[in-house]
């Protein structure tokens, strides 16, 4: 299933509202590189845990990201989450 399809409910006015809420919650900057957004409504919305692994659009799993960071992360788990999850297994 494509990533674009998972964001279909985050387009248009609902998407703008979601971006504003995420900017209020996390700050108006990229979650990964911390680059500031002059207008949060132009940021991309990323699923922190990839949609392919957790099929939800819950706000708890969404973050604002700049296009390069969102593209670079793709459908992978963020390294910070991987480290936390594997910390006690070694």
């Amino acid at each position: 299933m494509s990533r674009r399809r998972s964001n279909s409910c985050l387009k248009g006015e609902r998407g703008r509202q979601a971006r504003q809420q995420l900017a209020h919650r996390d700050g108006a900057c990229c979650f990964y590189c911390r680059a500031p957004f002059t207008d949060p409504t132009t940021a991309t919305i990323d699923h922190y845990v990839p949609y392919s692994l957790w099929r939800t659009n819950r706000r708890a799993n969404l973050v604002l990201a700049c296009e390069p960071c969102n593209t670079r992360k793709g459908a992978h788990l963020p390294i910070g989450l991987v480290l936390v999850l594997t910390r006690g297994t070694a």
Side-chain angles (χ1 to χ4, degrees):
M1 187 168 278
S2 76
R3 195 175 165 134
R4 181 179 302 258
R5 193 166 165 190
S6 69
N7 287 332
S8 62
C9 71
L10 301 172
K11 301 276 186 210
E13 183 59 30
R14 288 183 73 185
R16 280 187 288 283
Q17 290 175 354
R19 285 170 178 81
Q20 290 172 340
Q21 291 169 353
L22 293 169
H24 180 72
R25 182 189 74 188
D26 300 331
C29 59
C30 175
F31 184 81
Y32 303 107
C33 72
R34 308 310 293 166
F37 297 117
T38 55
D39 179 6
T41 62
T42 62
T44 66
I45 295 178
D46 183 50
H47 291 84
Y48 186 70
V49 174
Y51 188 80
S52 60
L53 299 176
W54 188 26
R55 297 190 183 280
T56 184
N57 285 319
R58 292 180 185 168
R59 294 287 194 272
N61 190 41
L62 301 177
V63 296
L64 293 180
C66 65
E67 187 72 34
C69 285
N70 196 341
T71 301
R72 188 171 29 255
K73 179 181 164 278
H76 302 288
L77 286 171
I79 188 66
L81 181 59
V82 172
L83 293 173
V84 168
L85 293 174
T86 60
R87 186 175 200 170
T89 61

